[in-house]
Amino acid sequence: MSFRLRRLTDRLEEEESLSLSATRSAQTKGRSRPEAPDEFRTPFERDRDRVLHSKAFRRLKHKTQVFVNPEGDHYVTRLTHALQVTQVARALAAGLALNETLTEAIALGHDVGHTPFGHTGEDALEGYFEQGWHHATQGVRIFEVLEDANLTWEVRDGIRAHSWNVDPPPATPEGELVRFADRIAYLTHDALDALRAGVIGGGDFPAPVTEALGEPGREWIDRLIRSLLTYSHATGAVGMEPDFLAVMGSLRDFMFERVYLSPGNQARKVAAVRVIRELVEFHLEHPEEIPASYRDNDADRLTQVTDYVAGMTDRYALRTHDRFFRPVLFEEPTRSL
Protein backbone atom coordinates (compact mmCIF):
# COMPACT_ATOMS: atom_id res chain seq x y z
CA MET A 1 0.00 0.00 0.00
CA SER A 2 1.33 3.44 -0.86
CA PHE A 3 0.06 6.99 -0.56
CA ARG A 4 0.79 10.32 -2.16
CA LEU A 5 0.53 13.51 -0.16
CA ARG A 6 -1.59 16.08 -1.98
CA ARG A 7 -0.28 19.35 -0.67
CA LEU A 8 -1.81 22.77 -1.21
CA THR A 9 0.12 23.41 -4.42
CA ASP A 10 -1.24 20.17 -5.91
CA ARG A 11 -4.81 21.07 -4.96
CA LEU A 12 -4.53 24.55 -6.43
CA GLU A 13 -3.14 23.08 -9.63
CA GLU A 14 -6.14 20.72 -9.82
CA GLU A 15 -8.47 23.73 -9.68
CA GLU A 16 -6.98 24.95 -12.95
CA SER A 17 -8.96 22.21 -14.70
CA LEU A 18 -12.25 23.80 -13.62
CA SER A 19 -14.47 25.84 -15.96
CA LEU A 20 -13.28 29.33 -16.81
CA SER A 21 -16.26 30.66 -14.83
CA ALA A 22 -15.32 28.76 -11.65
CA THR A 23 -14.09 30.55 -8.56
CA ARG A 24 -10.58 29.41 -7.72
CA SER A 25 -9.12 29.34 -4.23
CA ALA A 26 -6.04 31.23 -5.39
CA GLN A 27 -8.33 34.11 -6.48
CA THR A 28 -10.21 34.48 -3.18
CA LYS A 29 -10.74 38.01 -1.91
CA GLY A 30 -9.43 36.68 1.37
CA ARG A 31 -10.40 36.84 5.00
CA SER A 32 -11.03 39.73 7.37
CA ARG A 33 -7.84 38.71 9.17
CA PRO A 34 -5.01 37.26 7.07
CA GLU A 35 -3.99 33.68 7.90
CA ALA A 36 -1.00 31.60 6.94
CA PRO A 37 -1.87 29.03 4.23
CA ASP A 38 -2.67 25.49 5.33
CA GLU A 39 -0.25 22.88 4.07
CA PHE A 40 -2.92 20.49 2.82
CA ARG A 41 -6.18 22.42 2.41
CA THR A 42 -7.35 25.23 0.15
CA PRO A 43 -9.01 28.27 1.79
CA PHE A 44 -12.46 27.00 0.77
CA GLU A 45 -11.75 23.55 2.22
CA ARG A 46 -10.83 25.17 5.52
CA ASP A 47 -14.06 27.19 5.43
CA ARG A 48 -16.10 24.06 4.75
CA ASP A 49 -14.56 22.39 7.80
CA ARG A 50 -15.14 25.44 10.02
CA VAL A 51 -18.82 25.61 9.08
CA LEU A 52 -19.27 21.89 9.66
CA HIS A 53 -17.73 22.06 13.14
CA SER A 54 -19.61 25.17 14.29
CA LYS A 55 -22.14 25.08 17.12
CA ALA A 56 -24.68 26.89 14.96
CA PHE A 57 -24.53 24.09 12.38
CA ARG A 58 -25.04 21.41 15.05
CA ARG A 59 -28.10 23.20 16.40
CA LEU A 60 -29.84 22.81 13.04
CA LYS A 61 -30.69 19.21 13.95
CA HIS A 62 -33.31 20.49 16.41
CA LYS A 63 -34.72 23.34 14.30
CA THR A 64 -37.94 23.12 12.31
CA GLN A 65 -38.02 22.95 8.53
CA VAL A 66 -41.83 23.03 8.07
CA PHE A 67 -43.54 20.87 10.70
CA VAL A 68 -43.05 21.84 14.35
CA ASN A 69 -42.26 18.89 16.63
CA PRO A 70 -43.66 16.31 14.17
CA GLU A 71 -44.48 12.81 15.35
CA GLY A 72 -42.22 10.51 13.40
CA ASP A 73 -38.53 10.11 12.71
CA HIS A 74 -38.44 10.84 8.99
CA TYR A 75 -39.45 14.48 8.75
CA VAL A 76 -36.91 16.96 7.45
CA THR A 77 -35.11 19.22 9.92
CA ARG A 78 -32.95 22.24 9.15
CA LEU A 79 -29.90 19.99 9.43
CA THR A 80 -31.09 17.35 6.98
CA HIS A 81 -32.26 20.16 4.70
CA ALA A 82 -28.75 21.67 4.74
CA LEU A 83 -27.27 18.29 3.88
CA GLN A 84 -29.71 17.77 1.01
CA VAL A 85 -29.02 21.26 -0.34
CA THR A 86 -25.31 20.44 -0.19
CA GLN A 87 -25.79 17.21 -2.15
CA VAL A 88 -27.83 18.94 -4.86
CA ALA A 89 -25.43 21.89 -5.03
CA ARG A 90 -22.36 19.67 -5.31
CA ALA A 91 -24.01 17.65 -8.08
CA LEU A 92 -24.65 20.90 -9.95
CA ALA A 93 -21.11 22.15 -9.36
CA ALA A 94 -19.62 18.87 -10.55
CA GLY A 95 -21.76 18.91 -13.68
CA LEU A 96 -20.62 22.43 -14.59
CA ALA A 97 -16.99 22.01 -13.44
CA LEU A 98 -17.39 24.76 -10.84
CA ASN A 99 -15.66 24.80 -7.46
CA GLU A 100 -17.35 21.99 -5.50
CA THR A 101 -15.71 22.84 -2.19
CA LEU A 102 -16.77 26.49 -2.27
CA THR A 103 -20.28 25.36 -3.21
CA GLU A 104 -20.28 22.89 -0.32
CA ALA A 105 -19.11 25.47 2.22
CA ILE A 106 -21.88 27.89 1.23
CA ALA A 107 -24.55 25.18 1.16
CA LEU A 108 -23.64 23.77 4.57
CA GLY A 109 -23.72 27.22 6.15
CA HIS A 110 -26.62 28.78 4.28
CA ASP A 111 -29.26 28.28 6.99
CA VAL A 112 -27.28 28.56 10.25
CA GLY A 113 -28.97 31.91 10.94
CA HIS A 114 -32.46 30.42 11.07
CA THR A 115 -34.58 30.89 14.17
CA PRO A 116 -36.49 28.17 15.98
CA PHE A 117 -39.78 27.22 14.28
CA GLY A 118 -38.47 27.95 10.78
CA HIS A 119 -39.59 31.06 8.91
CA THR A 120 -42.23 31.66 11.59
CA GLY A 121 -39.50 32.71 14.01
CA GLU A 122 -38.10 35.03 11.36
CA ASP A 123 -41.53 36.63 10.96
CA ALA A 124 -41.73 37.09 14.73
CA LEU A 125 -38.44 39.01 14.86
CA GLU A 126 -38.98 41.25 11.82
CA GLY A 127 -41.14 43.74 13.67
CA TYR A 128 -38.35 44.62 16.09
CA PHE A 129 -36.13 46.15 13.40
CA GLU A 130 -36.91 48.93 10.92
CA GLN A 131 -34.87 47.18 8.25
CA GLY A 132 -36.47 43.81 9.05
CA TRP A 133 -34.69 40.66 10.17
CA HIS A 134 -33.41 37.95 7.84
CA HIS A 135 -31.81 34.61 8.60
CA ALA A 136 -29.21 35.03 5.85
CA THR A 137 -27.89 38.22 7.42
CA GLN A 138 -27.90 36.51 10.80
CA GLY A 139 -25.95 33.60 9.33
CA VAL A 140 -23.18 35.95 8.25
CA ARG A 141 -23.26 37.61 11.68
CA ILE A 142 -22.82 34.24 13.37
CA PHE A 143 -19.66 33.47 11.42
CA GLU A 144 -18.31 37.02 11.69
CA VAL A 145 -19.12 37.78 15.34
CA LEU A 146 -20.82 35.16 17.50
CA GLU A 147 -18.64 32.28 16.31
CA ASP A 148 -15.99 34.26 14.50
CA ALA A 149 -14.74 31.74 11.94
CA ASN A 150 -12.87 34.27 9.77
CA LEU A 151 -14.38 32.75 6.62
CA THR A 152 -13.36 33.87 3.16
CA TRP A 153 -15.33 36.64 1.50
CA GLU A 154 -16.80 34.29 -1.12
CA VAL A 155 -18.35 31.93 1.46
CA ARG A 156 -19.81 34.80 3.48
CA ASP A 157 -21.21 36.37 0.31
CA GLY A 158 -22.84 33.08 -0.69
CA ILE A 159 -24.50 32.71 2.72
CA ARG A 160 -25.64 36.36 2.62
CA ALA A 161 -27.35 36.00 -0.75
CA HIS A 162 -28.59 32.40 -0.81
CA SER A 163 -32.23 33.54 -0.64
CA TRP A 164 -33.85 34.65 -3.87
CA ASN A 165 -35.25 37.84 -2.32
CA VAL A 166 -31.82 39.16 -1.31
CA ASP A 167 -30.05 41.80 -3.42
CA PRO A 168 -27.44 42.00 -4.70
CA PRO A 169 -27.35 38.35 -5.82
CA PRO A 170 -24.34 36.11 -5.11
CA ALA A 171 -21.10 37.31 -6.64
CA THR A 172 -19.96 33.79 -7.60
CA PRO A 173 -21.57 31.14 -9.81
CA GLU A 174 -21.16 28.72 -6.90
CA GLY A 175 -23.35 30.98 -4.76
CA GLU A 176 -25.94 31.07 -7.54
CA LEU A 177 -25.97 27.26 -7.61
CA VAL A 178 -26.79 27.18 -3.90
CA ARG A 179 -29.78 29.45 -4.55
CA PHE A 180 -31.19 26.92 -7.01
CA ALA A 181 -30.17 23.92 -4.90
CA ASP A 182 -31.97 25.37 -1.87
CA ARG A 183 -35.23 25.77 -3.79
CA ILE A 184 -34.95 22.35 -5.47
CA ALA A 185 -34.29 20.67 -2.12
CA TYR A 186 -36.97 22.35 -0.02
CA LEU A 187 -39.74 22.02 -2.60
CA THR A 188 -39.10 18.31 -3.14
CA HIS A 189 -38.56 17.23 0.45
CA ASP A 190 -41.29 19.49 1.85
CA ALA A 191 -43.74 17.94 -0.62
CA LEU A 192 -42.81 14.47 0.61
CA ASP A 193 -43.20 15.59 4.24
CA ALA A 194 -46.63 17.04 3.46
CA LEU A 195 -47.67 13.75 1.84
CA ARG A 196 -46.34 11.85 4.86
CA ALA A 197 -48.26 14.12 7.22
CA GLY A 198 -51.49 13.75 5.24
CA VAL A 199 -51.70 17.48 4.57
CA ILE A 200 -51.99 16.79 0.83
CA GLY A 201 -52.62 13.73 -1.34
CA GLY A 202 -50.61 12.45 -4.26
CA GLY A 203 -53.25 13.58 -6.73
CA ASP A 204 -53.34 17.15 -5.44
CA PHE A 205 -50.28 18.45 -7.26
CA PRO A 206 -50.93 20.66 -10.30
CA ALA A 207 -51.01 18.64 -13.52
CA PRO A 208 -48.13 20.60 -15.16
CA VAL A 209 -45.91 19.65 -12.21
CA THR A 210 -46.51 15.91 -12.37
CA GLU A 211 -46.44 15.90 -16.16
CA ALA A 212 -43.02 17.56 -16.22
CA LEU A 213 -41.44 16.05 -13.11
CA GLY A 214 -43.12 12.68 -12.61
CA GLU A 215 -43.58 11.19 -9.14
CA PRO A 216 -42.41 13.19 -6.07
CA GLY A 217 -38.96 12.25 -4.83
CA ARG A 218 -35.76 11.37 -6.65
CA GLU A 219 -37.31 11.85 -10.07
CA TRP A 220 -38.19 15.48 -9.29
CA ILE A 221 -34.66 16.24 -8.11
CA ASP A 222 -33.06 14.49 -11.07
CA ARG A 223 -35.14 16.33 -13.68
CA LEU A 224 -34.63 19.75 -12.09
CA ILE A 225 -30.88 19.18 -11.84
CA ARG A 226 -30.72 18.06 -15.48
CA SER A 227 -32.69 21.12 -16.57
CA LEU A 228 -30.30 23.47 -14.80
CA LEU A 229 -27.21 21.71 -16.18
CA THR A 230 -28.60 21.73 -19.72
CA TYR A 231 -29.53 25.42 -19.66
CA SER A 232 -26.38 26.60 -17.88
CA HIS A 233 -24.09 24.67 -20.21
CA ALA A 234 -25.87 26.04 -23.29
CA THR A 235 -26.01 29.68 -22.17
CA GLY A 236 -22.92 30.10 -20.04
CA ALA A 237 -25.02 31.51 -17.17
CA VAL A 238 -26.43 29.71 -14.15
CA GLY A 239 -30.13 29.17 -14.77
CA MET A 240 -32.87 26.69 -15.61
CA GLU A 241 -34.80 25.94 -18.79
CA PRO A 242 -37.82 28.30 -18.90
CA ASP A 243 -40.40 25.49 -18.96
CA PHE A 244 -38.91 23.83 -15.89
CA LEU A 245 -38.46 27.17 -14.13
CA ALA A 246 -42.17 27.81 -14.65
CA VAL A 247 -43.00 24.34 -13.31
CA MET A 248 -40.88 24.96 -10.23
CA GLY A 249 -42.70 28.27 -9.73
CA SER A 250 -46.06 26.50 -10.03
CA LEU A 251 -44.96 23.92 -7.46
CA ARG A 252 -43.82 26.66 -5.10
CA ASP A 253 -47.17 28.48 -5.39
CA PHE A 254 -49.00 25.22 -4.68
CA MET A 255 -46.83 24.49 -1.62
CA PHE A 256 -47.46 27.93 -0.17
CA GLU A 257 -51.21 27.66 -0.68
CA ARG A 258 -51.71 24.09 0.50
CA VAL A 259 -48.85 23.52 2.96
CA TYR A 260 -46.89 26.53 4.22
CA LEU A 261 -49.97 28.75 4.65
CA SER A 262 -52.46 25.99 5.41
CA PRO A 263 -54.90 26.54 8.33
CA GLY A 264 -53.12 23.90 10.42
CA ASN A 265 -49.75 25.51 9.91
CA GLN A 266 -51.19 28.97 10.56
CA ALA A 267 -52.50 27.86 13.95
CA ARG A 268 -49.05 26.58 14.91
CA LYS A 269 -47.52 29.78 13.57
CA VAL A 270 -49.60 31.93 15.92
CA ALA A 271 -48.39 29.90 18.90
CA ALA A 272 -44.76 29.96 17.74
CA VAL A 273 -44.81 33.73 17.17
CA ARG A 274 -46.14 34.22 20.70
CA VAL A 275 -43.36 32.07 22.17
CA ILE A 276 -40.64 33.94 20.26
CA ARG A 277 -41.94 37.40 21.10
CA GLU A 278 -42.49 36.63 24.76
CA LEU A 279 -38.93 35.31 24.97
CA VAL A 280 -37.64 38.51 23.35
CA GLU A 281 -39.65 40.76 25.69
CA PHE A 282 -38.60 38.80 28.76
CA HIS A 283 -34.90 38.96 27.91
CA LEU A 284 -35.10 42.66 27.07
CA GLU A 285 -36.22 43.15 30.67
CA HIS A 286 -33.82 40.54 32.06
CA PRO A 287 -30.63 40.65 29.95
CA GLU A 288 -28.75 38.94 32.76
CA GLU A 289 -30.45 35.71 31.68
CA ILE A 290 -28.50 35.70 28.40
CA PRO A 291 -25.51 33.35 28.77
CA ALA A 292 -22.15 35.11 28.61
CA SER A 293 -21.03 32.52 26.07
CA TYR A 294 -23.62 33.78 23.59
CA ARG A 295 -23.48 37.53 24.09
CA ASP A 296 -21.91 40.19 21.91
CA ASN A 297 -21.07 42.82 24.51
CA ASP A 298 -20.46 45.44 21.84
CA ALA A 299 -24.01 45.14 20.48
CA ASP A 300 -27.12 46.97 21.68
CA ARG A 301 -29.50 45.13 23.98
CA LEU A 302 -32.07 44.24 21.32
CA THR A 303 -29.38 42.71 19.11
CA GLN A 304 -28.00 40.73 22.05
CA VAL A 305 -31.47 39.40 22.82
CA THR A 306 -32.32 38.48 19.23
CA ASP A 307 -28.91 36.82 18.81
CA TYR A 308 -29.77 34.59 21.76
CA VAL A 309 -33.40 33.85 20.90
CA ALA A 310 -32.70 33.28 17.21
CA GLY A 311 -29.96 30.82 18.09
CA MET A 312 -32.29 28.63 20.15
CA THR A 313 -33.46 25.24 18.93
CA ASP A 314 -37.20 24.54 18.93
CA ARG A 315 -37.08 22.47 22.09
CA TYR A 316 -34.76 24.86 23.92
CA ALA A 317 -37.06 27.77 23.08
CA LEU A 318 -40.09 25.85 24.39
CA ARG A 319 -38.24 24.75 27.50
CA THR A 320 -37.02 28.29 28.22
CA HIS A 321 -40.49 29.68 27.61
CA ASP A 322 -41.95 27.12 30.02
CA ARG A 323 -39.42 28.10 32.65
CA PHE A 324 -40.42 31.76 32.60
CA PHE A 325 -44.07 31.70 31.53
CA ARG A 326 -45.66 28.40 32.51
CA PRO A 327 -48.35 29.14 35.12
CA VAL A 328 -48.07 27.71 38.60
CA LEU A 329 -50.63 24.92 38.61
CA PHE A 330 -50.62 24.24 42.32
CA GLU A 331 -50.13 27.08 44.76
CA GLU A 332 -48.95 26.52 48.29
CA PRO A 333 -52.13 26.00 50.38
CA THR A 334 -52.95 28.80 52.77
CA ARG A 335 -52.58 27.78 56.37
CA SER A 336 -55.63 28.30 58.58
CA LEU A 337 -55.24 30.66 61.49
Side-chain angles (χ1 to χ4, degrees):
M1 183 181 295
S2 63
F3 301 97
R4 180 175 68 89
L5 284 176
R6 294 171 65 243
R7 298 185 185 275
L8 178 60
T9 53
D10 298 323
R11 301 170 94 82
L12 293 178
E13 285 178 5
E14 289 171 0
E15 288 189 353
E16 291 307 309
S17 65
L18 298 176
S19 299
L20 292 177
S21 301
T23 307
R24 289 161 171 78
S25 298
Q27 299 170 350
T28 175
K29 293 184 179 180
R31 308 179 187 277
S32 298
R33 299 183 306 280
E35 296 181 8
D38 186 275
E39 186 178 3
F40 297 105
R41 293 178 297 167
T42 68
F44 298 147
E45 288 174 329
R46 298 175 79 183
D47 284 0
R48 182 264 323 276
D49 298 346
R50 293 176 188 187
V51 170
L52 193 60
H53 288 275
S54 67
K55 292 184 293 184
F57 181 77
R58 291 198 296 274
R59 286 197 299 271
L60 295 179
K61 66 182 178 181
H62 293 303
K63 290 196 176 190
T64 288
Q65 173 65 20
V66 174
F67 297 99
V68 179
N69 288 331
E71 294 184 7
D73 297 330
H74 301 125
Y75 288 91
V76 175
T77 66
R78 281 286 160 194
L79 180 62
T80 56
H81 165 69
L83 296 176
Q84 288 173 279
V85 171
T86 301
Q87 179 272 319
V88 173
R90 285 207 64 154
L92 293 170
L96 296 173
L98 295 176
N99 194 312
E100 291 183 54
T101 309
L102 171 57
T103 305
E104 182 181 20
I106 296 169
L108 287 171
H110 82 281
D111 263 357
V112 297
H114 253 298
T115 63
F117 315 124
H119 285 283
T120 295
E122 189 170 42
D123 294 342
L125 294 180
E126 276 192 335
Y128 288 97
F129 297 90
E130 288 185 12
Q131 72 277 19
W133 193 96
H134 198 278
H135 70 276
T137 303
Q138 185 68 11
V140 175
R141 175 170 169 76
I142 286 171
F143 288 127
E144 288 184 341
V145 179
L146 302 176
E147 292 189 57
D148 184 3
N150 198 29
L151 302 179
T152 57
W153 182 89
E154 290 79 7
V155 174
R156 286 180 285 130
D157 174 74
I159 293 171
R160 171 198 64 80
H162 76 269
S163 292
W164 289 58
N165 59 350
V166 172
D167 284 317
T172 65
E174 290 82 2
E176 293 183 65
L177 287 185
V178 174
R179 272 193 170 188
F180 275 95
D182 185 26
R183 182 161 290 188
I184 291 171
Y186 80 69
L187 287 176
T188 53
H189 63 52
D190 288 355
L192 289 175
D193 271 0
L195 287 168
R196 185 177 294 114
V199 175
I200 56 176
D204 293 341
F205 294 106
V209 172
T210 53
E211 289 169 4
L213 300 181
E215 294 298 317
R218 290 181 298 177
E219 200 167 350
W220 281 16
I221 298 172
D222 180 69
R223 293 189 181 185
L224 291 170
I225 286 177
R226 287 176 181 273
S227 174
L228 189 143
L229 292 177
T230 299
Y231 179 89
S232 301
H233 184 265
T235 63
V238 174
M240 186 175 284
E241 293 171 305
D243 289 349
F244 278 89
L245 191 61
V247 165
M248 193 163 66
S250 176
L251 175 59
R252 185 173 181 271
D253 291 342
F254 169 81
M255 290 295 292
F256 267 92
E257 178 185 350
R258 294 292 302 274
V259 180
Y260 304 139
L261 301 180
S262 67
N265 249 5
Q266 288 300 97
R268 287 187 288 269
K269 178 176 179 177
V270 170
V273 166
R274 179 175 61 83
V275 168
I276 294 290
R277 289 181 176 168
E278 287 182 352
L279 285 172
V280 169
E281 296 297 333
F282 176 85
H283 286 93
L284 284 173
E285 295 180 10
H286 302 279
E288 70 280 359
E289 294 289 343
I290 302 174
S293 60
Y294 209 82
R295 183 199 300 267
D296 173 17
N297 292 317
D298 294 329
D300 60 84
R301 181 175 294 186
L302 178 59
T303 300
Q304 291 184 23
V305 169
T306 51
D307 281 343
Y308 178 49
V309 174
M312 294 178 175
T313 62
D314 293 17
R315 64 184 187 180
Y316 184 79
L318 292 171
R319 189 164 65 243
T320 303
H321 186 269
D322 275 355
R323 183 156 61 96
F324 295 126
F325 290 95
R326 191 173 185 178
V328 178
L329 299 181
F330 301 100
E331 296 183 356
E332 188 73 21
T334 304
R335 293 186 179 182
S336 58
L337 295 177

